[in-house]
Amino acid sequence: MNYPKKIISYSDGVKRVQDYGLITVVGEEKFFRDQIRNKKISLEKGAELIKIDCSEMDESEIFSLIENKDLFGSKRIFWISNFTKIKKLNFFFDNTFTDIIILDSDKAGKSKAFKELEQKSLYVDCSLKPWEKEPFALSMISGFLSKSGYSLEDGVAEEIYSCVGFDPYKIFLEIQKITLFNSGKSTITRKDLEEIGIRGKNYNIFDIVDKVLENKKKDALFLMEKVFFYESSPAILLISLWISHFESILYAKNNTGGEEQLFSYIKMSPTVIKKKLIPQANRISNEKLMESINFLAELDVKLRKGSFDLKYYLEKFIIDF
């Protein structure tokens, strides 16, 4: 079989997976690896799926299982996860198999045999560069909803992404929630998102800080009240995320390395950084940020030492800001 003899992208892999029997999927994005596997399974009607985890089986057992032919000649798909634990990877390309083999790992190997897989299998890179994640997620959101018959109000896809982040499985669940609650409507609006309750924890932090900076402290206290009501661990949410949020603002405020350095350091989407974080950074002084971080860090230490009225101190923090 003539393999591409090079690493191909996830999007190319989805298109070409039907033509190959030895498939290697490597990369940190489990969603991509799963989609390649599921596409191949859907194309091979009636094939038996056999799951093998190399962290649970010896190499010899794995080879024996693959070499023992099915008595009835049925086609099999071997899904072999954590395959980089296998030392003799040449087993897969030195032999000819009638079965389909999918080698799955979140990390690449370093052996010479692993490198040969790039040439002797359909090798699919299931990872994304940081700057590729947001465009992919926005395309995924718009694409799924469009196929379901919905149009989107401007900014809705970005709003969903800012709340959920880059988590394809969670994005898919939120899209299902949207279609369930908006049956009969043709356009998804921002108001729909609020009513459905698509909110991420970081998003609550942005809202509260915005209200404080606008001197709408009553509204900020109301939002904090909602966090205490709905979240199972409000202390972790409000202290840990506030500290990391203020640290991100501090970094954005003093960054001199340009956008690429900013986006790689702060684990938020570029859209959120540009539209939410930087405007907040422009309104808070370095002194106020350091004062806030130190105050919250002291609260965190006190909380770990014993229980006290956390809500009172956080309300005071907002009022005195």
Side-chain angles (χ1 to χ4, degrees):
M1 185 173 289
N2 295 322
Y3 286 98
K5 296 185 179 180
K6 63 178 182 179
I7 298 174
I8 65 172
S9 67
Y10 162 72
S11 56
D12 284 341
V14 171
K15 296 172 186 174
R16 302 173 68 175
V17 69
Q18 63 185 11
D19 300 323
Y20 299 98
L22 177 58
I23 301 163
T24 305
V25 288
V26 176
E28 62 186 13
E29 301 302 340
K30 185 177 184 298
F31 177 83
F32 289 175
R33 305 198 317 268
D34 289 351
Q35 291 304 302
I36 294 288
R37 182 192 72 239
N38 293 341
K39 177 70 179 290
K40 189 63 176 178
I41 291 171
S42 70
L43 292 167
E44 301 294 334
K45 304 295 184 183
E48 178 189 4
L49 177 64
I50 300 174
K51 301 177 183 179
I52 297 174
D53 187 339
C54 295
S55 62
E56 298 175 356
M57 291 181 68
D58 291 335
E59 194 168 294
S60 58
E61 291 179 288
I62 295 169
F63 294 164
S64 177
L65 183 61
I66 295 172
E67 288 177 323
N68 288 332
K69 304 293 184 183
D70 182 79
L71 293 176
F72 301 99
S74 301
K75 180 171 279 190
R76 302 174 296 178
I77 300 175
F78 288 95
W79 169 29
I80 305 175
S81 60
N82 298 309
F83 78 91
T84 52
K85 293 184 179 295
I86 295 176
K87 293 180 180 179
K88 297 178 181 179
L89 288 174
N90 59 298
F91 169 83
F92 297 105
F93 50 77
D94 283 347
N95 295 286
T96 301
F97 302 103
T98 56
D99 295 310
I100 294 162
I101 296 175
I102 303 174
L103 303 174
D104 180 323
S105 176
D106 61 341
K107 294 179 181 178
K110 298 178 181 179
S111 67
K112 181 181 177 182
F114 182 90
K115 287 294 181 183
E116 287 190 71
L117 281 172
E118 297 176 8
Q119 307 289 320
K120 299 178 179 179
S121 69
L122 182 74
Y123 189 109
V124 185
D125 178 11
C126 294
S127 59
L128 286 176
K129 301 290 189 297
W131 56 86
E132 295 174 326
K133 292 186 176 183
E134 182 175 5
F136 177 87
L138 295 179
S139 175
M140 179 181 176
I141 293 165
S142 301
F144 272 126
L145 287 172
S146 177
K147 286 179 182 177
S148 300
Y150 295 96
S151 60
L152 302 182
E153 183 182 74
D154 286 347
V156 164
E158 288 82 359
E159 192 85 359
I160 295 171
Y161 181 61
S162 73
C163 296
V164 178
F166 189 80
D167 185 336
Y169 280 112
K170 191 172 181 183
I171 287 172
F172 186 68
L173 288 173
E174 295 297 346
I175 289 171
Q176 288 183 314
K177 190 195 300 184
I178 289 168
T179 56
L180 178 66
F181 281 88
N182 284 274
S183 178
K185 294 184 65 175
S186 60
T187 303
I188 306 298
T189 66
R190 292 189 182 199
K191 186 177 180 182
D192 293 328
L193 301 186
E194 292 178 6
E195 291 175 353
I196 295 167
I198 295 180
R199 279 288 181 266
K201 292 181 177 179
N202 288 320
Y203 195 78
N204 286 324
I205 298 299
F206 273 112
D207 285 353
I208 294 172
V209 173
D210 275 339
K211 295 301 181 186
V212 170
L213 294 175
E214 292 165 7
N215 206 30
K216 296 179 180 178
K217 295 180 178 179
K218 184 177 180 181
D219 293 341
L221 291 171
F222 174 74
L223 290 173
M224 191 183 75
E225 187 73 32
K226 287 176 68 176
V227 175
F228 269 90
F229 183 79
Y230 289 110
E231 299 293 340
S232 58
S233 303
I236 295 172
L237 172 63
L238 289 169
I239 294 180
S240 299
L241 283 182
W242 264 359
I243 290 174
S244 64
H245 185 77
F246 284 134
E247 287 175 341
S248 295
I249 291 176
L250 189 65
Y251 186 87
K253 192 174 185 67
N254 296 281
N255 173 56
T256 57
E259 284 190 349
E260 186 174 339
Q261 181 174 312
L262 183 64
F263 296 158
S264 64
Y265 181 84
I266 297 177
K267 305 306 179 185
M268 299 178 191
S269 80
T271 298
V272 172
I273 292 173
K274 287 180 179 179
K275 293 186 176 181
K276 292 180 176 289
L277 192 74
I278 291 176
Q280 288 185 352
N282 292 335
R283 299 174 65 183
I284 311 177
S285 68
N286 283 328
E287 292 74 21
K288 189 65 180 177
L289 286 167
M290 289 305 303
E291 178 188 321
S292 300
I293 291 169
N294 290 333
F295 176 82
L296 291 166
E298 288 174 8
L299 277 189
D300 188 41
V301 171
K302 289 179 181 178
L303 191 63
R304 293 173 192 277
K305 287 183 177 180
S307 61
F308 66 101
D309 193 348
L310 173 66
K311 192 175 177 184
Y312 164 78
Y313 284 101
L314 290 177
E315 287 175 348
K316 188 175 186 302
F317 171 68
I318 288 174
I319 292 168
D320 293 344
F321 195 90

